[in-house]
Amino acid sequence: MSRTFIAGGVALFAASFAFAQTPRSPGSDVVKDTVELELLTHTEVYDKIHNQNMTSVLVVTGGTEERGPHDVLGGHTIMARRRAIEIAKRLGQTLVAPVIAYVPEGRVDAGAGHMRFPGTITVSEETFQKVLESAARSFKLHGVKDIVFLGDHGSTQADQRTVAARLNREWASGPARVHAVEEYYRAATVDFPQLLRSRGYRDDEVGTHAGLADTSLMLALDPRLVRAGVARPGPEETTGVSGDPSRASAELGQLGVELIVSRTVEAIRKSVARR
C-alpha cells in the first residue's frame, strides 16, 4: 500500500471526524420559537427586532439568597427565568433578557437579614440601579421600544420604579418606554398566599419566606432543587424559614405559577397600551 494512499485516507478520516464534531446550527423552527436573548446570535436578535417586530423585552430580576435548608440559593433566579419565558410567549413579540442574579440584600458589613446565611450575595442599590439602567439603554439602542422590569425579589421593586421613572422622563420625546410592572411580585407574595389560605392552609404554614408558598412554587418548576428531607418550619432566626414547607407540593405551586404568569401578562398589556 502506498504512502500516498495511506496519507490520503488519514486526511479523509480526519476531515470526516472534524465535520462530525462541528456543532450544527439550530433549525429555523428552533430559532423562531426561542425568546431567550442569550440563546440567540446577534444576527438572529436583529432579525427578531427589525423584521419580526419583537420590540418588547423582559428584564427580570432574580436574586442569590438563602431560602432555608431545603431550597437552593438560586431559587429566585431559576423561577424568574422559567416564568419570564412563559410570560414572553403568551405576550408574543417579546424577548427575555438574561436574569439578573445579584440584587440588594443588605449591607455586607452589617451581616443582618439574609446576609447572615452563607451564599447570599448582595450589591448596593446604586449598583443595581446602574445595571438596570445600562440594560435598558442597551435595548433602546438596538431598537426595543418596550422594556419591562419584573422583579422576583422584594428589595428590587423600588429601584425598578426609580429607574423606569428616570429613563421615561429622559426618553419622553422618543418611542422607547420602561415599564416597572409590580403585579408580578404582588401575585407571588400577596395573591398566591391568599389563594392558599382560601384552600384551608394556615397563615403560619404559608409563611413569607421559604414556607409553603415559596417551596410549592419551586417544586412546580423543578422538584430536584428542593431538599424534601429537611423541609420543615423555622425558627426564622436560625433557619431562614418563615412558614412551614412540610405540605408544599408541585400541584399547589402550579396554581401559583399560573396565577403569576396570567396576572403579569395582563398587567404588561395594560402598561404598554398606556404608553
Side-chain angles (χ1 to χ4, degrees):
M1 186 179 293
S2 69
R3 292 182 179 179
T4 302
F5 182 83
I6 294 173
V10 171
L12 179 61
F13 174 81
S16 300
F17 181 80
F19 177 78
Q21 296 301 307
T22 301
R24 298 184 178 183
S25 299
S28 58
D29 288 342
V30 174
V31 173
K32 179 181 177 182
D33 293 338
T34 299
V35 296
E36 298 147 273
L37 194 78
E38 58 198 322
L39 300 183
L40 297 166
T41 68
H42 72 87
T43 54
E44 291 162 353
V45 172
Y46 180 93
D47 181 63
K48 284 179 180 287
I49 294 174
H50 296 282
N51 298 327
Q52 300 178 38
N53 197 37
M54 294 182 72
T55 56
S56 296
V57 65
L58 306 181
V59 178
V60 192
T61 296
T64 306
E65 69 172 24
E66 68 84 13
R67 292 169 56 80
H70 59 286
D71 279 357
V72 295
L73 291 160
H76 278 300
T77 300
I78 295 164
M79 291 191 293
R81 180 175 180 272
R82 294 279 293 275
R83 291 175 196 153
I85 292 170
E86 182 61 27
I87 290 167
K89 289 183 175 180
R90 292 196 194 184
L91 285 169
Q93 307 304 105
T94 304
L95 294 168
V96 178
V99 178
I100 300 171
Y102 300 153
V103 304
E105 295 278 7
R107 290 167 41 200
V108 173
D109 58 350
H114 297 310
M115 293 306 298
R116 291 174 297 157
F117 300 93
T120 302
I121 302 172
T122 191
V123 300
S124 69
E125 291 185 1
E126 179 183 10
T127 298
F128 178 67
Q129 288 188 24
K130 286 294 185 182
V131 171
L132 288 178
E133 181 178 327
S134 296
R137 291 187 185 281
S138 298
F139 289 122
K140 176 178 179 290
L141 173 67
H142 296 136
V144 172
K145 294 183 174 61
D146 290 293
I147 300 150
V148 181
F149 291 160
L150 301 176
D152 206 65
H153 199 282
S155 67
T156 69
Q157 305 302 310
D159 292 323
Q160 290 167 187
R161 290 194 303 269
T162 297
V163 174
R166 182 164 63 233
L167 290 178
N168 286 335
R169 286 193 298 269
E170 181 182 333
W171 299 347
S173 60
R177 291 291 179 273
V178 182
H179 311 265
V181 176
E182 296 181 65
E183 282 82 357
Y184 173 89
Y185 183 69
R186 188 177 303 122
T189 59
V190 177
D191 300 339
F192 179 44
Q194 286 179 348
L195 175 62
L196 292 173
R197 294 184 191 101
S198 73
R199 289 173 171 256
Y201 292 95
R202 307 183 312 273
D203 281 351
D204 63 330
E205 280 186 287
V206 175
T208 58
H209 185 76
L212 177 74
D214 266 0
T215 306
S216 292
L217 289 171
M218 195 73 227
L219 285 169
L221 292 178
D222 195 337
R224 296 171 300 175
L225 301 180
V226 176
R227 319 302 194 229
V230 291
R232 57 179 64 95
E236 186 174 7
E237 294 74 20
T238 57
T239 67
V241 178
S242 168
D244 184 351
S246 302
R247 292 203 290 167
S249 70
E251 291 73 22
L252 290 175
Q254 191 54 51
L255 293 174
V257 172
E258 176 57 32
L259 181 65
I260 294 165
V261 170
S262 60
R263 295 276 173 87
T264 304
V265 168
E266 180 183 2
I268 291 173
R269 285 176 175 160
K270 287 181 179 179
S271 185
V272 170
R274 292 194 297 267
R275 68 190 311 278

